[in-house]
Amino acid sequence: MANTRDVAVGVVGGGPAGLLLSYLLNLQGVETLVLEARSRAHVEQRVRAGVCEHPTVELLRGIGVGARMDAQGMMHHGFSLRFDGRDHRIPLTELTGKCTTVYGQQEVVKDLVHAHEEKGLPIEFEVADVALHDLDSERPRITYTDAGGVRRELRCLAVAGCDGAHGVSRATLAATRPRVYTHDYPYAWLAVLARTPPVHGELIYANHERGFVLHSIRSHEVTQLYLQIDPREEVTDWPDDRVWEECRLRLTAEGFGLREGPLLEKSIAPMRSVVVEPMQYGRLFLAGDAAHIVPPTGAKGMNLAVADVRRLAYALRRLVRHSDPRPVTRYSESCLERVWQVQHFSALMTGLLHRDPAADDFARKLQLARLHNLTTSRAAATSLAEHYVGLPFD
Ligand code: FAD
Ligand code: DHB
């Protein structure tokens, strides 16, 4: 085929996983090409995650892409679990010596795109018709149509599937019949960005009879709110007045007064857990949301993508630079223990904080007992805090 080129690793998807993998590999002398379906402006403005774990922050800093995060990110040394109408603080730094950094995922993406640009590393935006071939050979291929409408072929040593839950990589791997574990939760999140100063300096995760609400922070002027809603509801069911009314009711606490402001964005996120096992087939390796989804309550999705990619970068370097296939052979196995730890934590946080419409009064009492235990036992709080700030990379 004309328009064919060779590259060591073809990276499908230019979200946090694909961009970080590409950058890490290039730092280690492994050439990549990132293929991204959307435009640069789109990926740089796609607002999603807000919390970076301690190991994520250290990694970004260590590879020289942390300057803006250090200048603009907000370090959080604790967060509150709000129930029974008052706050119960989990003092992260006191319990673990570590903190989290509130810094938007789109900012991490911007920093990584910029770092590619600075080093002249290629990212092709607005590609279409991406298809993966010969994955069970040592020379897999990716075909695609570039932004100018030209059909192209990329011959690689490995393909990194970093194209999220609905990309071509998971769909291609699905044809090899992996085991897929899924769990759907009986609620969704309405994500609301409001131009109003946050009324609390740390995140508040509130458990209320009417349902969960999270009060998070984007800047001194912008507050991010997430409300538990019925998964059948749509954004149009939530006019601004209803959003504020519900936030006020669910966040009720002494001395706490929510300040209303214009709502800048509203969107709905489903609540799902998914794990694809194994996360690889032949020379295709899935990372991030392509391999697994966690419900957002623990703020873990992007951070788990970072942990996968760190392992994949090492394994691919061994393959490409040292012709050592052993680490790639073990890639999925080496990721899955952390994946399930994070699934466990995210499911725990989700179950702890949401109102399950099918739960009876007994289940509700147990939920409150668990919350009390977590906020009165130092051992229980420490375990929660260790997961929240991020398990160390090994
Ligand atoms: P993605 O970000 O989905 O990137 C995949 C990329 O692939 C996209 O750019 C997409 O355009 C591209 N693509 C798709 N198909 C193709 C194709 N066929 N060809 C080429 N490119 C393709 N995580 C946290 O860690 N902390 C949080 O606080 C947090 N909060 C969240 C709040 C909400 C409301 C939501 C929805 C998610 C949250 N997450 C959070 C999860 C986090 O956003 C994701 O886990 C993260 O985006 C995963 O990164 P990724 O690179 O694997 O996938
Ligand atoms: C945010 C998202 C989360 O899922 C979370 O647990 C904490 C904060 C946020 O987007 O700010």
Side-chain angles (χ1 to χ4, degrees), residues 4 11 13 39 57 75 150 185 187 238 275 279 297 314 378:
T4 295
V11 179
S39 69
V57 169
M75 289 204 281
V150 178
Y185 297 83
Y187 26 76
W238 285 88
V275 180
M279 296 163 52
T297 327
Y314 166 74
R378 193 175 170 91

Side-chain angles (χ1 to χ4, degrees), residues 47-51 102 189 203 205 212 214-218 224 226 295-300 349 388:
V47 174
R48 278 162 151 203
V51 179
V102 174
W189 273 16
L203 270 58
Y205 292 83
F212 168 71
L214 167 60
H215 180 278
S216 179
I217 296 170
R218 283 291 173 273
Q224 174 79 57
Y226 296 105
T297 327
K300 292 293 171 210
M349 285 284 278
Y388 193 86

Side-chain angles (χ1 to χ4, degrees), residues 17-18 20-21 24 162 287 304-314 331:
L20 180 62
L21 177 70
L24 286 173
C162 302
L304 191 52
V306 168
D308 288 349
V309 152
R310 189 179 151 276
R311 286 192 179 276
L312 188 52
Y314 166 74
Y331 165 67

Side-chain angles (χ1 to χ4, degrees), residues 88-337:
H88 307 257
R89 184 168 185 266
I90 305 290
L92 295 172
T93 306
E94 186 190 317
L95 294 170
T96 67
K98 295 172 190 148
C99 66
T100 56
T101 299
V102 174
Y103 186 62
Q105 175 172 321
Q106 76 281 8
E107 304 304 324
V108 175
V109 166
K110 269 184 217 156
D111 294 341
L112 288 166
V113 171
H114 181 70
H116 275 75
E117 203 170 41
E118 290 239 293
K119 286 201 189 305
L121 307 174
I123 304 173
E124 285 199 36
F125 290 100
E126 297 181 69
V127 303
D129 315 319
V130 175
L132 314 179
H133 314 271
D134 305 336
L135 296 168
D136 50 4
S137 80
E138 292 186 354
R139 296 293 289 170
R141 292 178 300 119
I142 306 176
T143 52
Y144 65 100
T145 307
D146 73 12
V150 178
R151 282 296 287 163
R152 296 196 179 272
E153 181 183 66
L154 201 60
R155 296 191 312 172
C156 334
L157 295 174
V159 176
C162 302
D163 47 348
H166 307 292
V168 64
S169 303
R170 189 194 290 181
T172 304
L173 194 132
T176 69
R177 299 184 163 273
R179 184 79 201 262
V180 182
Y181 298 87
T182 58
H183 181 75
D184 287 300
Y185 297 83
Y187 26 76
W189 273 16
L190 177 72
V192 178
L193 200 64
R195 184 170 298 289
T196 181
V199 272
H200 195 71
E202 293 180 344
L203 270 58
I204 305 169
Y205 292 83
N207 171 308
H208 191 274
E209 274 172 25
R210 299 180 66 87
F212 168 71
V213 61
L214 167 60
H215 180 278
S216 179
I217 296 170
R218 283 291 173 273
S219 70
H220 298 298
E221 293 90 37
V222 178
T223 302
Q224 174 79 57
L225 294 154
Y226 296 105
L227 275 169
Q228 173 182 352
I229 62 167
D230 185 297
R232 291 161 301 192
E233 284 181 302
E234 293 176 19
V235 168
T236 48
D237 294 318
W238 285 88
D240 295 10
D241 287 353
R242 184 177 177 206
V243 170
W244 285 118
E245 173 67 5
E246 204 56 39
C247 287
R248 236 195 328 271
L249 288 168
R250 296 187 195 181
L251 281 165
T252 303
E254 220 178 285
F256 183 86
L258 207 51
R259 279 178 255 170
E260 289 188 17
L263 299 187
L264 308 174
E265 276 178 33
K266 271 184 225 164
S267 61
I268 290 180
M271 303 281 282
R272 267 202 117 186
S273 298
V274 179
V275 180
V276 177
E277 281 195 26
M279 296 163 52
Q280 65 191 82
Y281 169 75
R283 287 281 175 103
L284 169 64
F285 304 93
L286 303 188
D289 279 16
H292 37 67
I293 300 288
V294 288
T297 327
K300 292 293 171 210
M302 181 181 73
N303 295 293
L304 191 52
V306 168
D308 288 349
V309 152
R310 189 179 151 276
R311 286 192 179 276
L312 188 52
Y314 166 74
L316 290 174
R317 174 172 66 85
R318 293 296 309 173
L319 179 74
V320 172
R321 307 242 333 161
H322 305 277
S323 303
D324 173 8
R326 286 169 303 174
V328 285
T329 311
R330 291 194 301 265
Y331 165 67
S332 173
E333 191 189 319
S334 70
C335 290
L336 281 167
E337 188 179 331

Side-chain angles (χ1 to χ4, degrees), residues 80-88 252-254 372 375-376:
S80 285
L81 293 173
R82 181 171 287 184
F83 58 95
D84 281 348
R86 64 185 189 88
D87 284 340
H88 307 257
T252 303
E254 220 178 285
H372 275 289
T375 50
T376 50

